[in-house]
Amino acid sequence: PGQRRWQGPGGLALEAAGDHGAMLMPSGRLLKHGSAVLAAAFLPDGSRVLTGSDDNMARIWDTATGEMAGRMLPHRGSVRMG
């Protein structure tokens, strides 16, 4: 697949970072996954972003700190949109 980018509110964005996760912009924080991020969605206020990955996990992140906000959410397969 080509470059993946998800736009959030207030100038936030998430860019896929190869097989390691995604980069939160404009802070440059790496949100780590064990594999490629395939899906992402921001809360309307931009405080959190949900990422889904080829590592069979979904994660919720605090966009201010780049830290996980809660536990990992395991799935039986890749987490994709649509």
Side-chain angles (χ1 to χ4, degrees):
Q3 176 71 17
R4 295 183 185 270
R5 181 180 172 90
W6 298 270
Q7 201 64 43
L12 290 171
L14 197 66
E15 295 180 359
D19 290 337
H20 306 290
M23 192 74 65
L24 183 62
M25 304 306 278
S27 70
R29 290 185 178 95
L30 179 63
L31 307 183
K32 293 182 183 178
H33 271 272
S35 193
V37 170
L38 304 173
F42 287 88
L43 285 182
D45 68 1
S47 63
R48 302 276 192 271
V49 62
L50 171 71
T51 56
S53 174
D54 215 13
D55 65 1
N56 303 347
M57 292 285 178
R59 292 174 169 87
I60 300 171
W61 305 89
D62 181 309
T63 57
T65 65
E67 299 293 324
M68 269 200 326
R71 61 184 180 84
M72 291 184 279
L73 308 167
H75 287 260
R76 292 184 182 188
S78 296
V79 181
R80 302 173 183 265
M81 293 191 110

